[in-house]
Amino acid sequence: MAKPISIEVWNPSGKHRVVSTKSMPGTRWIRLLTDQDCRVEICTEKKTILSVDDILALIGDRCDGVIGQLTEDWGEVLFSALRRAGGTAFSNMAVGYNNVDVTAANKYGVAVGNTPGVLTETTAELAASLSLAAARRIVEADQFMRAGLYDGWLPHLFVGNLLKGQTVGVIGAGRIGSAYARMMIEGFKMNLIYYDLYQATRLEKFVTAYGQFLKANGEQPVTWKRAATMEDVLREADVISLHPVLDKTTYHLINTQRLSIMKKEAILINASRGPVIDEAALVEHLKANPMFRVGLDVFEDEPFMKPGLAEQKNAVVVPHIASASKWTREGMATLAALNVLGKIKGYPIWSNPNSVEPFLDENSPPPAACPSIVNAKQLGLPVSKL
């Protein structure tokens, strides 16, 4: 028999039972569910990552839908249990769903939701923050001050890299990659080189227009170039930010060989997915090249770092906080809740999951639709005409 799991209950008499495996920011998501006759149960266990057995206990004998987290292993066991309990809806509170076996969800007829469209700017801002922190050695300098080691200004003390006029490289120029590029170009007047399977026309037009603006005002114009290969970006850029999807073609995209062709004082940023970097190879590269710097928000074996990474002063590491702005996290919670609610209510699927502003407007009711269901086509779910 599964052990009891501590929970917080909202609207105990609600008709539809919805479980959230974690407390989530804000209260709007709770209100949206309870207003639609849902009983909401929020797990309050003091565990960072719930086990499959923990989640089985939460699902119990009757459950209409679950809001889960990307740290959880959603596969055959959980989807079969959810279906036996009468559930047909699951949503990650995340845009990614590498933790979800979508094939298993399809087998049991469970809709899988995610939360795109709300993370773009905040993730790009974190990547830009890591870029600046690494370039100017901010974390090292902060630790130096806190240790009481500062006894006066010195010409060589924490000399870092100037970003203005340098080249920023973007690998994966989708929504987040393009937003990051715009921040670095407009903020620091950096030139752009990018690699993507698809042409980033809007980004190119932005850089061209901004370059013309600078020239008209007597400043050096910025430039852009679409690289023929990823290696071209690695060789030419002073700061490289990774924004690819994670699949078998991008696993260990950055490895020993590709690290070796980067500039000795280059800065590498990853706020996408941890396994796109061979982290053990990165540790060795950081050791051998003290002026090479890295900013990481994600890790290959998260939540763990590869041995030696934590000791490298030329590494800035943060605990997967790219989406951790109040507005974004509350928006993610809202979208996840509405994915589950929409499936329970039989609503159609929103036609553009990257255009979710109508769901986030607190001054009006959200559309009667599921914001984003990744397996909608496989399940034959209808698309909204709204």
Side-chain angles (χ1 to χ4, degrees), residues 3 33 37 51 83 88 109 114 147 195 228 230 260 280 283 288 331 383:
K3 67 175 183 177
L33 289 169
D37 203 16
S51 68
R83 187 65 196 212
T88 59
N114 69 336
Y195 176 74
M230 188 177 71
S260 70
V283 171
V383 176

Side-chain angles (χ1 to χ4, degrees), residues 267-282:
I267 296 167
L268 178 65
I269 305 298
N270 187 19
S272 60
R273 295 289 182 267
V276 303
I277 296 179
D278 180 344
E279 204 168 293
L282 176 63

Side-chain angles (χ1 to χ4, degrees), residues 173-222:
R175 294 183 307 279
I176 296 172
S178 291
Y180 166 82
R182 292 195 304 270
M183 291 175 187
M184 302 304 288
I185 293 161
E186 192 170 14
F188 301 105
K189 299 182 175 66
M190 300 185 79
N191 298 308
L192 171 68
I193 180 170
Y194 80 93
Y195 176 74
D196 197 292
L197 296 176
Y198 303 97
Q199 185 174 6
T201 305
R202 291 181 64 186
L203 177 59
E204 292 173 358
K205 289 180 178 178
F206 170 84
V207 182
T208 298
Y210 187 54
Q212 292 170 346
F213 167 81
L214 292 174
K215 186 176 181 180
N217 284 274
E219 297 188 62
Q220 182 70 26
V222 293

Side-chain angles (χ1 to χ4, degrees), residues 99-148:
N99 63 309
V100 178
D101 183 345
V102 179
T103 301
N106 294 340
K107 176 181 175 181
Y108 292 102
V110 177
V112 174
N114 69 336
T115 62
V118 72
L119 297 93
T120 300
E121 299 299 327
T122 194
T123 302
E125 284 182 4
L126 192 279
S129 300
L130 289 173
S131 301
L132 189 58
R136 297 305 300 271
R137 304 175 65 179
I138 290 172
V139 174
E140 288 179 81
D142 177 87
Q143 293 171 343
F144 182 84
M145 285 294 295
R146 293 176 190 275

Side-chain angles (χ1 to χ4, degrees), residues 92-351:
N92 251 6
M93 183 195 152
V95 64
Y97 49 95
N98 299 105
N99 63 309
V100 178
D101 183 345
V102 179
T103 301
N106 294 340
K107 176 181 175 181
Y108 292 102
V110 177
V112 174
N114 69 336
T115 62
V118 72
L119 297 93
T120 300
E121 299 299 327
T122 194
T123 302
E125 284 182 4
L126 192 279
S129 300
L130 289 173
S131 301
L132 189 58
R136 297 305 300 271
R137 304 175 65 179
I138 290 172
V139 174
E140 288 179 81
D142 177 87
Q143 293 171 343
F144 182 84
M145 285 294 295
R146 293 176 190 275
L149 299 175
Y150 181 59
D151 56 8
W153 184 90
L154 289 170
H156 294 290
L157 190 61
F158 295 110
V159 173
N161 296 12
L162 180 71
L163 296 178
K164 183 179 184 296
Q166 302 301 302
T167 298
V168 61
V170 172
I171 295 174
R175 294 183 307 279
I176 296 172
S178 291
Y180 166 82
R182 292 195 304 270
M183 291 175 187
M184 302 304 288
I185 293 161
E186 192 170 14
F188 301 105
K189 299 182 175 66
M190 300 185 79
N191 298 308
L192 171 68
I193 180 170
Y194 80 93
Y195 176 74
D196 197 292
L197 296 176
Y198 303 97
Q199 185 174 6
T201 305
R202 291 181 64 186
L203 177 59
E204 292 173 358
K205 289 180 178 178
F206 170 84
V207 182
T208 298
Y210 187 54
Q212 292 170 346
F213 167 81
L214 292 174
K215 186 176 181 180
N217 284 274
E219 297 188 62
Q220 182 70 26
V222 293
T223 63
W224 64 266
K225 178 168 71 172
R226 183 185 180 192
T229 68
M230 188 177 71
E231 284 73 15
D232 290 339
V233 176
L234 299 178
R235 290 190 188 96
E236 295 183 31
D238 301 289
V239 180
I240 298 105
S241 192
L242 306 174
H243 300 279
V245 296
L246 175 62
D247 57 27
K248 63 183 179 180
T249 69
T250 59
Y251 176 79
H252 282 188
L253 192 70
I254 302 299
N255 52 27
T256 299
Q257 188 275 327
R258 284 176 168 149
L259 286 165
S260 70
I261 66 175
M262 296 174 66
K263 294 180 179 180
K264 294 297 184 183
E265 295 188 5
I267 296 167
L268 178 65
I269 305 298
N270 187 19
S272 60
R273 295 289 182 267
V276 303
I277 296 179
D278 180 344
E279 204 168 293
L282 176 63
V283 171
E284 295 307 310
H285 192 76
L286 289 167
K287 290 178 180 178
N289 299 274
M291 295 310 294
F292 183 94
R293 301 190 187 97
V294 67
L296 301 176
D297 179 55
V298 288
F299 305 90
E300 187 172 352
D301 298 320
E302 204 165 306
F304 307 105
M305 293 187 286
K306 291 292 187 184
L309 180 58
E311 289 72 48
Q312 304 312 306
K313 292 184 178 181
N314 47 346
V316 178
V317 292
V318 295
H320 205 145
I321 58 170
S323 65
S325 66
K326 183 176 183 291
W327 181 85
T328 295
R329 288 282 173 90
E330 290 184 0
M332 292 166 68
T334 294
L335 294 174
L338 290 174
N339 281 330
V340 170
L341 177 65
K343 185 63 174 65
I344 291 171
K345 290 290 188 179
Y347 294 159
I349 312 305
W350 190 244
S351 60

